[in-house]
Amino acid sequence: MRFAQYNAWANARLYDASTALSDFERKRDVKAYFRSLHGTLNHLLVADRIWLRRITGDGPAPKRLDETVFEQFPELREAREAEDRRIIDFVSGLDEPDFERVIEYGNTRGETHALPLQVILAHLFNHQTHHRGQATHILRQLGVAEPPALDLLYFALPTG
């Protein structure tokens, strides 16, 4: 549960920092893996939606990892917040044996795999952290002087 809550906290801080930029700057191609900050934020939402669909059978199922689901930042942020609540709700409903349950899924290349839910959730949260790091670097490139600290330790502090 801690990682689900941390994930929402870190995403909120990242989106808060992103409001310092214009729409043009957020969408500017900075040669990042998903081209721009907006592309990176869209990818994070897409990936979470894909994984939640795989493990719950519910919700949107984007077809491509680089799909732009929202062109406008306010709508993207609203969807991110809703997806973070969805993740928290899902994880909070799990019992210890649920984490061992094996999930069979097909990836975006059409390959079939099976992994325990605990491994999938670890990947989901680790994937978020990976791309938030990229997004923080993009913020810095675009002139946000001090992107927010997103370390788990800051979340865990009483003032986090």
Side-chain angles (χ1 to χ4, degrees):
M1 184 62 180
R2 178 177 291 244
F3 283 113
Q5 293 169 329
Y6 161 70
N7 191 58
W9 174 87
N11 284 333
R13 290 175 67 96
L14 180 60
Y15 273 79
D16 285 348
S18 299
T19 63
L21 301 171
S22 69
D23 192 56
F24 175 81
E25 291 170 312
R26 281 191 296 270
K27 292 178 179 173
R28 187 170 131 209
D29 187 342
V30 293
K31 308 298 183 227
Y33 194 79
F34 293 96
R35 295 177 302 287
S36 65
L37 178 61
H38 194 83
T40 301
L41 296 175
N42 257 284
H43 168 70
L44 284 169
L45 178 63
V46 163
D48 283 354
R49 285 182 166 184
I50 288 171
W51 277 113
L52 280 176
R53 175 64 178 234
R54 289 173 182 166
I55 61 181
T56 69
D58 190 34
K63 302 291 184 220
R64 294 183 346 266
L65 294 173
D66 64 348
E67 187 173 322
T68 299
V69 288
F70 294 97
E71 285 290 340
Q72 299 305 313
F73 184 74
E75 287 82 11
L76 179 60
R77 184 177 195 160
E78 185 178 316
R80 173 75 268 162
E81 290 168 355
E83 202 68 17
D84 286 340
R85 285 190 302 274
R86 194 169 155 228
I87 292 168
I88 289 169
D89 290 346
F90 173 73
V91 172
S92 68
L94 296 174
D95 292 323
E96 198 63 36
D98 292 327
F99 290 98
E100 298 299 327
R101 182 170 45 104
V102 173
I103 306 292
E104 294 182 19
Y105 65 93
N107 67 16
T108 55
R109 291 186 289 263
E111 303 163 340
T112 302
H113 299 285
L115 289 168
L117 180 58
Q118 65 184 345
V119 173
I120 291 171
L121 289 173
H123 167 72
L124 184 144
F125 296 127
N126 188 57
H127 178 260
Q128 282 272 344
T129 300
H130 168 71
H131 286 296
R132 277 193 302 263
Q134 292 174 340
T136 300
H137 179 73
I138 295 169
L139 283 169
R140 187 68 165 212
Q141 283 181 302
L142 294 174
V144 176
E146 189 58 43
L150 301 179
D151 292 338
L152 177 65
L153 296 175
Y154 289 102
F155 168 75
L157 291 171
T159 59

